PDB file of all heavy atoms in Angstrom:
ATOM      1  N   SER A 215     124.921 177.173  74.143  1.00 97.00           N
ATOM      2  CA  SER A 215     125.843 178.297  74.288  1.00 97.00           C
ATOM      3  C   SER A 215     126.248 178.407  75.747  1.00 97.00           C
ATOM      4  O   SER A 215     125.531 177.935  76.643  1.00 97.00           O
ATOM      5  CB  SER A 215     125.195 179.607  73.824  1.00 97.00           C
ATOM      6  OG  SER A 215     124.078 179.932  74.629  1.00 97.00           O
ATOM      7  N   TYR A 216     127.402 179.014  75.999  1.00 97.00           N
ATOM      8  CA  TYR A 216     127.896 179.155  77.363  1.00 97.00           C
ATOM      9  C   TYR A 216     127.234 180.329  78.070  1.00 97.00           C
ATOM     10  O   TYR A 216     127.134 181.415  77.500  1.00 97.00           O
ATOM     11  CB  TYR A 216     129.408 179.372  77.371  1.00 97.00           C
ATOM     12  CG  TYR A 216     130.212 178.266  76.732  1.00 97.00           C
ATOM     13  CD1 TYR A 216     131.212 178.549  75.809  1.00 97.00           C
ATOM     14  CD2 TYR A 216     129.978 176.939  77.070  1.00 97.00           C
ATOM     15  CE1 TYR A 216     131.964 177.540  75.228  1.00 97.00           C
ATOM     16  CE2 TYR A 216     130.721 175.911  76.493  1.00 97.00           C
ATOM     17  CZ  TYR A 216     131.719 176.215  75.565  1.00 97.00           C
ATOM     18  OH  TYR A 216     132.459 175.216  74.991  1.00 97.00           O
ATOM     19  N   GLY A 217     126.813 180.104  79.314  1.00 95.00           N
ATOM     20  CA  GLY A 217     126.335 181.215  80.117  1.00 95.00           C
ATOM     21  C   GLY A 217     127.453 182.188  80.430  1.00 95.00           C
ATOM     22  O   GLY A 217     127.237 183.397  80.533  1.00 95.00           O
ATOM     23  N   ASP A 218     128.685 181.651  80.615  1.00 92.00           N
ATOM     24  CA  ASP A 218     129.865 182.498  80.731  1.00 92.00           C
ATOM     25  C   ASP A 218     131.038 181.736  80.137  1.00 92.00           C
ATOM     26  O   ASP A 218     131.023 180.498  80.048  1.00 92.00           O
ATOM     27  CB  ASP A 218     130.139 182.897  82.177  1.00 92.00           C
ATOM     28  CG  ASP A 218     130.488 181.706  83.058  1.00 92.00           C
ATOM     29  OD1 ASP A 218     131.642 181.248  83.022  1.00 92.00           O
ATOM     30  OD2 ASP A 218     129.590 181.221  83.784  1.00 92.00           O
ATOM     31  N   ALA A 219     132.068 182.466  79.726  1.00 91.00           N
ATOM     32  CA  ALA A 219     133.166 181.862  78.987  1.00 91.00           C
ATOM     33  C   ALA A 219     133.951 180.839  79.802  1.00 91.00           C
ATOM     34  O   ALA A 219     134.604 179.951  79.240  1.00 91.00           O
ATOM     35  CB  ALA A 219     134.109 182.962  78.487  1.00 91.00           C
ATOM     36  N   ASP A 220     133.887 180.933  81.141  1.00 93.00           N
ATOM     37  CA  ASP A 220     134.645 180.017  81.999  1.00 93.00           C
ATOM     38  C   ASP A 220     133.920 178.706  82.279  1.00 93.00           C
ATOM     39  O   ASP A 220     134.473 177.843  82.961  1.00 93.00           O
ATOM     40  CB  ASP A 220     134.952 180.711  83.338  1.00 93.00           C
ATOM     41  CG  ASP A 220     135.923 181.871  83.175  1.00 93.00           C
ATOM     42  OD1 ASP A 220     136.689 181.866  82.195  1.00 93.00           O
ATOM     43  OD2 ASP A 220     135.885 182.780  84.023  1.00 93.00           O
ATOM     44  N   TRP A 221     132.707 178.572  81.779  1.00 93.00           N
ATOM     45  CA  TRP A 221     131.901 177.391  82.116  1.00 93.00           C
ATOM     46  C   TRP A 221     132.632 176.071  81.852  1.00 93.00           C
ATOM     47  O   TRP A 221     132.674 175.204  82.746  1.00 93.00           O
ATOM     48  CB  TRP A 221     130.568 177.427  81.368  1.00 93.00           C
ATOM     49  CG  TRP A 221     129.633 176.329  81.746  1.00 93.00           C
ATOM     50  CD1 TRP A 221     128.767 176.305  82.792  1.00 93.00           C
ATOM     51  CD2 TRP A 221     129.491 175.055  81.089  1.00 93.00           C
ATOM     52  NE1 TRP A 221     128.086 175.108  82.828  1.00 93.00           N
ATOM     53  CE2 TRP A 221     128.507 174.322  81.796  1.00 93.00           C
ATOM     54  CE3 TRP A 221     130.088 174.475  79.977  1.00 93.00           C
ATOM     55  CZ2 TRP A 221     128.129 173.038  81.425  1.00 93.00           C
ATOM     56  CZ3 TRP A 221     129.708 173.185  79.604  1.00 93.00           C
ATOM     57  CH2 TRP A 221     128.736 172.478  80.323  1.00 93.00           C
ATOM     58  N   PRO A 222     133.241 175.870  80.667  1.00 93.00           N
ATOM     59  CA  PRO A 222     133.904 174.579  80.434  1.00 93.00           C
ATOM     60  C   PRO A 222     135.031 174.300  81.426  1.00 93.00           C
ATOM     61  O   PRO A 222     135.208 173.155  81.863  1.00 93.00           O
ATOM     62  CB  PRO A 222     134.452 174.712  79.001  1.00 93.00           C
ATOM     63  CG  PRO A 222     133.676 175.814  78.385  1.00 93.00           C
ATOM     64  CD  PRO A 222     133.337 176.749  79.499  1.00 93.00           C
ATOM     65  N   VAL A 223     135.785 175.327  81.796  1.00 92.00           N
ATOM     66  CA  VAL A 223     136.888 175.148  82.735  1.00 92.00           C
ATOM     67  C   VAL A 223     136.358 174.761  84.110  1.00 92.00           C
ATOM     68  O   VAL A 223     136.885 173.861  84.784  1.00 92.00           O
ATOM     69  CB  VAL A 223     137.732 176.437  82.826  1.00 92.00           C
ATOM     70  CG1 VAL A 223     138.838 176.284  83.864  1.00 92.00           C
ATOM     71  CG2 VAL A 223     138.324 176.774  81.459  1.00 92.00           C
ATOM     72  N   ARG A 224     135.295 175.412  84.543  1.00 93.00           N
ATOM     73  CA  ARG A 224     134.714 175.100  85.856  1.00 93.00           C
ATOM     74  C   ARG A 224     134.162 173.682  85.900  1.00 93.00           C
ATOM     75  O   ARG A 224     134.239 173.003  86.934  1.00 93.00           O
ATOM     76  CB  ARG A 224     133.605 176.098  86.193  1.00 93.00           C
ATOM     77  CG  ARG A 224     134.123 177.484  86.547  1.00 93.00           C
ATOM     78  CD  ARG A 224     133.033 178.384  87.122  1.00 93.00           C
ATOM     79  NE  ARG A 224     132.081 178.836  86.124  1.00 93.00           N
ATOM     80  CZ  ARG A 224     130.812 178.470  86.048  1.00 93.00           C
ATOM     81  NH1 ARG A 224     130.321 177.608  86.931  1.00 93.00           N
ATOM     82  NH2 ARG A 224     130.025 178.947  85.112  1.00 93.00           N
ATOM     83  N   MET A 225     133.613 173.214  84.797  1.00 94.00           N
ATOM     84  CA  MET A 225     133.016 171.884  84.785  1.00 94.00           C
ATOM     85  C   MET A 225     134.062 170.773  84.837  1.00 94.00           C
ATOM     86  O   MET A 225     133.800 169.691  85.353  1.00 94.00           O
ATOM     87  CB  MET A 225     132.148 171.716  83.531  1.00 94.00           C
ATOM     88  CG  MET A 225     130.891 172.568  83.523  1.00 94.00           C
ATOM     89  SD  MET A 225     129.831 172.351  84.970  1.00 94.00           S
ATOM     90  CE  MET A 225     130.236 173.827  85.926  1.00 94.00           C
ATOM     91  N   VAL A 226     135.243 171.025  84.321  1.00 93.00           N
ATOM     92  CA  VAL A 226     136.283 170.000  84.305  1.00 93.00           C
ATOM     93  C   VAL A 226     136.830 169.741  85.699  1.00 93.00           C
ATOM     94  O   VAL A 226     137.147 168.605  86.053  1.00 93.00           O
ATOM     95  CB  VAL A 226     137.426 170.401  83.336  1.00 93.00           C
ATOM     96  CG1 VAL A 226     138.634 169.492  83.525  1.00 93.00           C
ATOM     97  CG2 VAL A 226     136.939 170.320  81.899  1.00 93.00           C
ATOM     98  N   GLY A 227     136.952 170.772  86.510  1.00 89.00           N
ATOM     99  CA  GLY A 227     137.513 170.597  87.835  1.00 89.00           C
ATOM    100  C   GLY A 227     139.028 170.628  87.819  1.00 89.00           C
ATOM    101  O   GLY A 227     139.657 171.094  86.863  1.00 89.00           O
ATOM    102  N   GLU A 228     139.643 170.093  88.867  1.00 90.00           N
ATOM    103  CA  GLU A 228     141.095 170.145  89.013  1.00 90.00           C
ATOM    104  C   GLU A 228     141.779 169.299  87.946  1.00 90.00           C
ATOM    105  O   GLU A 228     141.400 168.142  87.727  1.00 90.00           O
ATOM    106  CB  GLU A 228     141.512 169.647  90.398  1.00 90.00           C
ATOM    107  CG  GLU A 228     141.109 170.556  91.545  1.00 90.00           C
ATOM    108  CD  GLU A 228     141.786 171.908  91.459  1.00 90.00           C
ATOM    109  OE1 GLU A 228     142.994 171.958  91.126  1.00 90.00           O
ATOM    110  OE2 GLU A 228     141.106 172.928  91.716  1.00 90.00           O
ATOM    111  N   PRO A 229     142.800 169.852  87.275  1.00 90.00           N
ATOM    112  CA  PRO A 229     143.535 169.067  86.269  1.00 90.00           C
ATOM    113  C   PRO A 229     144.077 167.775  86.868  1.00 90.00           C
ATOM    114  O   PRO A 229     144.623 167.773  87.979  1.00 90.00           O
ATOM    115  CB  PRO A 229     144.678 170.008  85.857  1.00 90.00           C
ATOM    116  CG  PRO A 229     144.162 171.380  86.162  1.00 90.00           C
ATOM    117  CD  PRO A 229     143.312 171.236  87.387  1.00 90.00           C
ATOM    118  N   GLY A 230     143.885 166.681  86.148  1.00 90.00           N
ATOM    119  CA  GLY A 230     144.375 165.390  86.610  1.00 90.00           C
ATOM    120  C   GLY A 230     143.467 164.667  87.574  1.00 90.00           C
ATOM    121  O   GLY A 230     143.720 163.497  87.909  1.00 90.00           O
ATOM    122  N   SER A 231     142.423 165.331  88.064  1.00 94.00           N
ATOM    123  CA  SER A 231     141.502 164.697  89.006  1.00 94.00           C
ATOM    124  C   SER A 231     140.662 163.633  88.297  1.00 94.00           C
ATOM    125  O   SER A 231     140.585 163.582  87.064  1.00 94.00           O
ATOM    126  CB  SER A 231     140.579 165.735  89.624  1.00 94.00           C
ATOM    127  OG  SER A 231     139.725 166.305  88.624  1.00 94.00           O
ATOM    128  N   LEU A 232     140.039 162.781  89.101  1.00 96.00           N
ATOM    129  CA  LEU A 232     139.164 161.760  88.532  1.00 96.00           C
ATOM    130  C   LEU A 232     138.032 162.425  87.750  1.00 96.00           C
ATOM    131  O   LEU A 232     137.653 161.966  86.666  1.00 96.00           O
ATOM    132  CB  LEU A 232     138.608 160.872  89.642  1.00 96.00           C
ATOM    133  CG  LEU A 232     137.715 159.710  89.199  1.00 96.00           C
ATOM    134  CD1 LEU A 232     138.437 158.798  88.205  1.00 96.00           C
ATOM    135  CD2 LEU A 232     137.237 158.915  90.412  1.00 96.00           C
ATOM    136  N   ARG A 233     137.502 163.528  88.266  1.00 96.00           N
ATOM    137  CA  ARG A 233     136.446 164.245  87.553  1.00 96.00           C
ATOM    138  C   ARG A 233     136.948 164.728  86.188  1.00 96.00           C
ATOM    139  O   ARG A 233     136.254 164.575  85.178  1.00 96.00           O
ATOM    140  CB  ARG A 233     135.951 165.433  88.371  1.00 96.00           C
ATOM    141  CG  ARG A 233     134.878 166.254  87.653  1.00 96.00           C
ATOM    142  CD  ARG A 233     134.501 167.521  88.415  1.00 96.00           C
ATOM    143  NE  ARG A 233     133.543 168.314  87.666  1.00 96.00           N
ATOM    144  CZ  ARG A 233     132.222 168.215  87.752  1.00 96.00           C
ATOM    145  NH1 ARG A 233     131.699 167.317  88.577  1.00 96.00           N
ATOM    146  NH2 ARG A 233     131.443 168.994  87.042  1.00 96.00           N
ATOM    147  N   ALA A 234     138.141 165.315  86.173  1.00 96.00           N
ATOM    148  CA  ALA A 234     138.673 165.816  84.911  1.00 96.00           C
ATOM    149  C   ALA A 234     138.846 164.686  83.898  1.00 96.00           C
ATOM    150  O   ALA A 234     138.522 164.841  82.717  1.00 96.00           O
ATOM    151  CB  ALA A 234     140.002 166.527  85.151  1.00 96.00           C
ATOM    152  N   ARG A 235     139.351 163.543  84.368  1.00 96.00           N
ATOM    153  CA  ARG A 235     139.488 162.403  83.456  1.00 96.00           C
ATOM    154  C   ARG A 235     138.131 161.892  82.984  1.00 96.00           C
ATOM    155  O   ARG A 235     137.977 161.446  81.852  1.00 96.00           O
ATOM    156  CB  ARG A 235     140.259 161.278  84.140  1.00 96.00           C
ATOM    157  CG  ARG A 235     141.730 161.596  84.329  1.00 96.00           C
ATOM    158  CD  ARG A 235     142.523 160.375  84.735  1.00 96.00           C
ATOM    159  NE  ARG A 235     142.286 159.966  86.100  1.00 96.00           N
ATOM    160  CZ  ARG A 235     141.805 158.778  86.468  1.00 96.00           C
ATOM    161  NH1 ARG A 235     141.483 157.869  85.554  1.00 96.00           N
ATOM    162  NH2 ARG A 235     141.633 158.488  87.749  1.00 96.00           N
ATOM    163  N   ALA A 236     137.141 161.992  83.869  1.00 96.00           N
ATOM    164  CA  ALA A 236     135.818 161.452  83.552  1.00 96.00           C
ATOM    165  C   ALA A 236     135.066 162.294  82.529  1.00 96.00           C
ATOM    166  O   ALA A 236     134.272 161.751  81.750  1.00 96.00           O
ATOM    167  CB  ALA A 236     134.987 161.310  84.822  1.00 96.00           C
TER     168      ALA A 236
END
Side-chain angles (χ1 to χ4, degrees):
S215 63
Y216 301 132
D218 65 80
D220 292 336
W221 185 85
V223 177
R224 287 190 287 111
M225 291 305 102
V226 168
E228 292 296 319
S231 65
L232 183 57
R233 178 186 177 91
R235 289 192 287 120

